[in-house]
Amino acid sequence: GMSVEENKRVLAEFDQLLGADDLTPLDRLCRPDMVNHAIAADRPAGLAGTREFLETMGRQQMTHEGWRDLVVVADGDYVVQYGVRHGRWHGGRFMGIEAGPGEYSRGFAAMYRFEGGRIAERWAVRDDLTMLRQLGALPS
């Protein structure tokens, strides 16, 4: 199988697609039958939904400034990221709640399973509550 280091490199490249204009690397980095367990319920859970998320949320609704305090743990077919993601919300509905534009910084954990050097599955846990409080959409 592929090395742990190779999987980490593929994931780093996948992360660069957030906010990118060219999403063609998705087909190289992810398996065609990839399942994104973290995708919103109203989007397709496969590669199509991941592409759609990157085209809409990842480009139009928020500006992602990347990771802070990122820890990456990799073992076998899995790579786990934990850290703080910060960026800017451009305004609009987030998780069904109206949130005005502003900066946010929230805890974020993501886990990926690899097959043959490509992303096969993705899970994520985000602190959306903190983000919504920082945007003034919820009382703090």
Side-chain angles (χ1 to χ4, degrees):
M2 292 287 173
S3 76
V4 164
E5 288 308 314
E6 175 67 10
N7 289 346
K8 283 162 73 173
R9 193 199 60 70
V10 167
L11 180 50
E13 193 177 342
F14 177 82
D15 265 355
Q16 295 303 311
L17 295 178
L18 207 48
D21 289 324
D22 179 17
L23 298 177
T24 51
L26 264 183
D27 297 312
R28 181 171 46 81
L29 301 172
C30 303
R31 290 178 51 90
D33 60 351
M34 172 210 187
V35 178
N36 190 341
H37 301 278
I39 215 87
D42 59 346
R43 295 181 194 266
L47 195 51
T50 301
R51 189 184 312 275
E52 191 182 282
F53 170 83
L54 290 168
E55 283 169 352
T56 57
M57 191 77 106
R59 232 171 17 215
Q60 296 155 23
Q61 289 176 282
M62 50 198 346
T63 304
H64 296 269
E65 288 160 26
W67 289 99
R68 203 173 63 232
D69 306 323
L70 174 63
V71 175
V72 179
V73 180
D75 185 32
D77 295 330
Y78 292 89
V79 180
V80 178
Q81 299 169 316
Y82 179 75
V84 175
R85 302 226 43 173
H86 51 281
R88 179 167 182 81
W89 177 249
H90 299 167
R93 289 180 82 70
F94 181 83
M95 305 291 286
I97 298 170
E98 195 61 38
E103 306 286 323
Y104 66 86
S105 190
R106 63 179 174 183
F108 196 105
M111 183 168 83
Y112 297 80
R113 185 178 66 80
F114 285 78
E115 251 178 68
R118 291 160 93 188
I119 296 168
E121 289 185 90
R122 176 182 186 268
W123 297 263
V125 180
R126 308 175 312 228
D127 188 356
D128 289 335
L129 189 57
T130 291
M131 175 181 166
L132 286 165
R133 282 177 169 158
Q134 288 170 358
L135 296 173
L138 293 176
S140 50

